[in-house]
Amino acid sequence: MHRRRRTALSVSVALLAAAPLLTACGSDAHPGAAAVVGGQRIEVSTLQAEVRDVRDAQDASPEAAQLIKNTGQLSQAKLNSMIFDRILQRAADDAGVRISRKEIQSTRQQAAAQSGGEKQFASMLLQQGALSSGQIDAAIRREVLLTKLAQAIGANTTSPQGQQKVLAALTKTSEDLGIDVNPRYGSWDYKKVQLGEAKTPWITQVTRQAPEQEPTDA
C-alpha cells in the first residue's frame, strides 16, 4: 500500500509539472499578476520565486544541464500547479475535506522510505516533477488532498469513470472560481483543468540564467 502511494505521488507530481499545453489567449487585465483565481492574485514575483528555487536546486545537481534542458516551460508548469492547488482547495472545502500536518508528514516519511531515504526522494522529485526540496510538502499535500477529495465524492481513481468524476468536480470548481491568466503564460482550459501555452520568444530556450530571464511587468 505504501509503495502504491509513493508511486502515485511521483506520477501525480510529474503529470502536474508536465501537463500538455494549449494555445494562448486572454488579456493582461491585472498588471503584476501571473493569474487571478476566484478574485485572488498569484503575483508574478511569487511565481518567479518558485522558478528560482527549482533552478537553484537543478544547478546544484550533477545532472544540471539535462534537468534544465528538460524543463524549458518551467514557469507555465509552476503556475499550472499554483492555480490547480487553489481549485483543489476550494473543491475540497466544498466537499468538507480536511487534511492535517500529520498526514502530510506521514505520507512524506513513507514515500521517502520507499525511495531509499529523504535525499533520494528529493532527488527523484527534482528530476520527475521539477520540485525543489522546499516545494515537496506542497506537492504531497496536493496528492493527499486529491485522494481524499476522490474518496469524499465516491470516485474510484483507478478507473476511467472515477477519474472523469474527479475531473468533472474540479472543472465545475474552476468555472465557479473563474481563472484569469496573464497571456504571457497562456490560458486556462476549464475542461482539462490545466494551463495553456504562451507563445512568447522568452520561453523558447532555457539556460542557467533562466530566473533572470523570467518576464516582469515594467
Side-chain angles (χ1 to χ4, degrees), residues 102-202:
K102 183 177 180 180
E103 288 178 279
I104 296 172
Q105 292 174 335
S106 176
T107 301
R108 178 166 182 165
Q109 289 169 359
Q110 292 168 6
Q114 290 290 335
S115 301
E118 181 67 30
K119 183 176 180 180
Q120 290 81 355
F121 182 53
S123 177
M124 178 188 71
L125 291 185
L126 177 63
Q127 293 177 15
Q128 296 184 5
L131 293 168
S132 68
S133 59
Q135 296 168 1
I136 293 176
D137 277 0
I140 292 175
R141 185 181 190 280
R142 180 184 309 129
E143 174 67 20
V144 174
L145 195 58
L146 188 58
T147 299
K148 294 186 74 170
L149 173 63
Q151 294 170 347
I153 64 176
N156 179 2
T157 55
T158 62
S159 71
Q161 294 82 2
Q163 293 167 8
Q164 285 299 316
K165 190 171 183 177
V166 174
L167 181 62
L170 294 172
T171 295
K172 182 181 183 304
T173 300
S174 65
E175 289 173 343
D176 291 343
L177 285 170
I179 315 298
D180 185 5
V181 178
N182 187 316
R184 72 184 62 188
Y185 298 110
S187 60
W188 190 254
D189 187 307
Y190 287 94
K191 292 183 178 180
K192 295 184 178 181
V193 195
Q194 67 184 30
L195 186 62
E197 180 183 3
K199 302 285 188 181
T200 49
W202 57 267

